[in-house]
Amino acid sequence: MNIVILLGAPGSGKGTVAAALASADERLKHVSSGDLLRGAVAKGTPAGVEAKAFMERGQLVPDALIARMIKDVVAETEGDVTMLLDGFPRNLAQAGILEEMGAPVRSVVLIDVPDEIIQDRIAGRRTCPKCKAGYHVKNLPPKVEGVCDRCGAALEIRKDDNPETVKDRLAVYHADTEPLVEFYRSKGLLRVVDGTTGVENVAAAFLKAM
Ligand code: AMP
């Protein structure tokens, strides 16, 4: 098992690219910290109950809470698998936790998208609550408006995708997550791909870069 970390602002396309690559190659496993947390919130587990308020405000949940979940997934992933780790680490402390776990990080790929484009992308984002597939009303529309292509469930707008919370999430990204770019660059692990060229092109560039 080895790990490729996806770095990028909320709405940069990390989840879309990771899901597209994982569905095309069974040796790639997409692990999204946001999906793990939303699953815990939906189930009402103790971790989910604790995480809910942080997520609704667009803030990071406590490091130990998300680190425990990631540790479990890392421990249960074996064999000839590359984990596409989407959303973790989100700050330098979490990067330290990942190192302490001894997780074998092969590379870190930054999906680079300017803030102006991010706002527009998140405004059009739609998500399947059942199978987690992601869509965009203009850039990646479902075949039938409001309905998931994969499982037929009604698509939703994520609670934290409203413009006010998006502003907060972007501020958190710049303050807490962006320092990881230099951190991983200094280790020689960082690759950068242009995230504005369309899903297929970004996925192809990502695959080359990782
Ligand atoms: P995402 O789906 O990656 O945009 O994550 C949605 C929300 O989940 C974030 O705004 C945070 O509140 C929380 N979250 C996801 N990953 C992490 C993480 N690694 N550390 C702390 N909070 C996280």
Side-chain angles (χ1 to χ4, degrees):
M1 196 274 281
N2 59 62
I3 295 177
V4 173
I5 294 171
L6 290 97
L7 272 187
S12 60
K14 301 188 297 294
T16 305
V17 165
L21 293 175
S23 72
D25 183 342
E26 61 186 19
R27 288 164 308 175
L28 300 177
K29 174 175 174 172
H30 177 203
V31 175
S32 154
S33 57
D35 282 348
L36 291 173
L37 287 163
R38 280 183 288 276
V41 171
K43 278 197 204 128
T45 65
V49 171
E50 191 185 344
K52 190 166 187 263
F54 292 99
M55 294 174 75
E56 284 178 356
R57 289 197 300 265
Q59 292 172 352
L60 297 183
V61 308
D63 294 336
L65 190 161
I66 182 63
R68 227 174 291 132
M69 291 182 171
I70 298 295
K71 212 173 195 168
D72 288 346
V73 184
V74 168
E76 74 197 16
T77 307
E78 290 170 344
D80 181 20
V81 174
T82 296
M83 183 185 294
L84 302 177
L85 191 50
D86 157 17
F88 187 96
R90 223 32 173 250
N91 58 30
L92 288 167
Q94 292 180 9
I97 294 171
L98 195 63
E99 282 191 341
E100 278 163 24
M101 281 181 211
V105 177
R106 162 170 148 190
S107 59
V108 178
V109 183
L110 170 67
I111 303 184
D112 195 24
V113 178
D115 277 9
E116 310 84 78
I117 297 181
I118 293 286
Q119 303 272 3
D120 180 56
R121 283 215 188 155
I122 295 188
R125 178 148 80 173
R126 300 291 181 271
T127 312
C128 176
K130 211 165 142 205
C131 77
K132 313 299 170 216
Y135 299 89
H136 186 281
V137 290
K138 277 197 309 240
N139 307 339
L140 196 65
K143 292 197 181 80
V144 178
E145 195 184 325
V147 179
C148 179
D149 291 349
R150 268 182 18 201
C151 75
L155 300 180
E156 289 180 349
I157 299 177
R158 266 171 54 176
K159 248 194 181 152
D160 58 351
D161 274 352
N162 68 76
E164 272 316 301
T165 312
V166 168
K167 249 189 228 154
D168 293 339
R169 288 166 61 206
L170 275 174
V172 168
Y173 173 74
H174 290 304
D176 294 353
T177 309
E178 222 161 43
L180 292 175
V181 172
E182 281 317 312
F183 178 78
Y184 285 119
R185 202 195 304 272
S186 73
K187 291 182 179 293
L189 290 171
L190 189 81
R191 325 269 183 267
V192 182
V193 302
D194 178 354
T196 64
T197 58
V199 177
E200 275 179 26
N201 292 326
V202 179
F206 187 99
L207 209 50
K208 234 183 183 175
M210 73 178 229

